[in-house]
Amino acid sequence: MEHMKMENYSVVTEFFLVGLSQYPELQLFLFMLCLIMYVIILLGNSLLIIISILDSRLHTPMYFFLGNLSFLDICYTSSFIPTMLILFRSETKSISFIGCALQMVVSLGLGCTECVLLAVMAYDRYVAICNPLRYPIIMNRVLYVHMAAWSWIIGYLISLLQTVMTMILPFCGNNVIDHITCEILALLKLICSDITINVIIMTVASIVILMLPLLLIFISYVFILSSILRINSAEGRKKAFSTCSAHLTVVILFYGSALFMYMKPKSKDTNTSDEIVVLSYGVITPMLNPIIYSLRNKEVKEAVKKVLSRHLHLLKS
């Protein structure tokens, strides 16, 4: 009987992404909106990377991590926005099986990496504020490069495991994904075999990659807040808090939407609210990251002005 069931499975070679297709009148609006935001993401994050390289004052662990975050946001949005823009203007809205798998492993890996990287950045701020005299010794180049590297390695190991465990299962010919991207929750809905192991792996991964880093961030900020409150001068407290406020804002935006997406009770259902959440942490947050760090950080603002004035001077000459 099991052999007969397997023979009835038709091989899936492509998927159809039909998320938000129930709103055809919004397709052009969403296309233009996502295109504009994607351009802002590319320009804003590229500018942050460039200034962190060109300005010697920004050659510190904090801006090294920020450069990683900006590069990650560019790669993350590039893994699905171009395809999404094509699908918004396409009638077929199809993506190949391999293309879907690649999109999932890349986007999921980058999302997992950002979770770990934000925790690493919180630790960097903890050392800078709670142990300022020992900061250059603790956060030496070897350590912060290894911390960034392991953020990427851990993120992609978890992503690769979940993607492989999903794509090897039979889809039984059902290839219509009720989502705007090849998102793992939407794909699990199409599988007709038992997905208990997948749900367990996803639950454990969500705890490891979401809850554990979030706990470390929370503990770091408890110590940071305690240290800030012990600073005597108001100016000192303001300066210390300003170095953390941008990171804390990004953490709230990213983890708020990610927790809603992956830690809710249901494991197989997707709907319009999920797609809006994906747009939130997948497009809006990467777009806001460079703006937040530029507005909340005096050193970044000065570096941006310096780079822009230099280029204006070259253009005039």
Side-chain angles (χ1 to χ4, degrees):
M1 288 296 293
E2 188 66 27
H3 179 68
M4 292 178 63
K5 284 183 180 179
M6 292 300 294
E7 286 184 341
N8 290 330
Y9 293 161
S10 57
V11 177
V12 172
T13 58
E14 65 178 355
F15 293 100
F16 293 92
L17 296 164
V18 298
L20 298 178
S21 60
Q22 66 269 39
Y23 307 107
E25 67 279 0
L26 291 178
Q27 298 295 303
L28 179 59
F29 170 75
L30 290 171
F31 174 85
M32 295 303 300
L33 180 64
C34 290
L35 178 61
I36 292 170
M37 290 194 293
Y38 183 50
V39 171
I40 294 172
I41 288 167
L42 295 179
L43 293 176
N45 286 287
S46 296
L47 180 60
L48 270 181
I49 294 171
I50 291 169
I51 63 171
S52 64
I53 294 172
L54 295 180
D55 197 319
S56 58
R57 295 174 301 173
L58 303 184
H59 293 174
T60 63
M62 175 182 171
Y63 295 103
F64 176 77
F65 293 134
L66 180 56
N68 269 262
L69 182 63
S70 295
F71 178 69
L72 186 153
D73 284 339
I74 290 173
C75 294
Y76 179 66
T77 51
S78 297
S79 70
F80 70 92
I81 290 183
T83 304
M84 189 170 65
L85 292 175
I86 293 171
L87 293 175
F88 278 145
R89 305 305 300 155
S90 171
E91 293 294 329
T92 58
K93 301 185 183 300
S94 63
I95 184 172
S96 68
F97 183 91
I98 297 298
C100 187
L102 286 174
Q103 185 185 85
M104 185 163 69
V105 73
V106 172
S107 59
L108 184 59
L110 290 166
C112 293
T113 300
E114 184 159 352
C115 291
V116 182
L117 189 60
L118 288 173
V120 167
M121 293 173 75
Y123 175 74
D124 172 69
R125 291 300 82 208
Y126 158 74
V127 177
I129 292 175
C130 300
N131 296 283
L133 298 179
R134 299 185 61 217
Y135 179 74
I137 300 171
I138 297 174
M139 293 301 296
N140 58 74
R141 183 177 179 81
V142 174
L143 178 63
Y144 69 72
V145 169
H146 275 78
M147 291 173 77
W150 275 107
S151 298
W152 289 84
I153 292 170
I154 292 170
Y156 268 97
L157 285 176
I158 292 175
S159 171
L160 190 61
L161 173 64
Q162 292 194 73
T163 301
V164 170
M165 290 299 293
T166 300
M167 303 308 283
I168 62 173
L169 294 175
F171 289 92
C172 307
N174 189 1
N175 62 347
V176 178
I177 302 175
D178 187 16
H179 213 279
I180 54 177
T181 65
C182 288
E183 206 276 330
I184 189 168
L185 292 175
L187 277 166
L188 286 176
K189 186 180 179 182
L190 306 183
I191 295 169
C192 54
S193 62
D194 184 26
I195 61 168
T196 303
I197 294 177
N198 299 74
V199 173
I200 293 172
I201 292 173
M202 183 178 295
T203 303
V204 173
S206 297
I207 293 171
V208 171
I209 212 71
L210 282 174
M211 300 307 296
L212 187 58
L214 188 59
L215 178 63
L216 294 174
I217 291 170
F218 176 76
I219 293 171
S220 296
Y221 273 100
V222 168
F223 285 106
I224 288 170
L225 182 61
S226 177
S227 295
I228 290 175
L229 293 176
R230 289 200 300 268
I231 298 175
N232 293 326
S233 66
E235 185 64 28
R237 287 195 297 270
K238 182 180 178 182
K239 184 178 179 181
F241 184 74
S242 67
T243 64
C244 302
S245 57
H247 174 260
L248 192 57
T249 304
V250 170
V251 167
I252 293 170
L253 286 172
F254 179 80
Y255 272 97
S257 51
L259 286 171
F260 175 84
M261 189 71 185
Y262 292 103
M263 295 302 289
K264 56 189 175 183
K266 58 181 180 177
S267 61
K268 294 181 68 175
D269 297 325
T270 57
N271 49 40
T272 303
S273 66
D274 292 342
E275 293 156 16
I276 293 171
V277 170
V278 167
L279 288 175
S280 173
Y281 80 83
V283 182
I284 297 175
T285 303
M287 181 186 69
L288 292 178
N289 283 354
I291 298 173
I292 292 168
Y293 275 100
S294 297
L295 294 176
R296 304 290 296 181
N297 194 300
K298 185 179 178 182
E299 291 175 320
V300 172
K301 285 191 286 187
E302 290 177 353
V304 170
K305 289 177 183 177
K306 183 179 177 182
V307 171
L308 292 178
S309 62
R310 185 186 300 170
H311 280 278
L312 289 173
H313 179 70
L314 291 174
L315 289 173
K316 288 180 180 178
S317 60

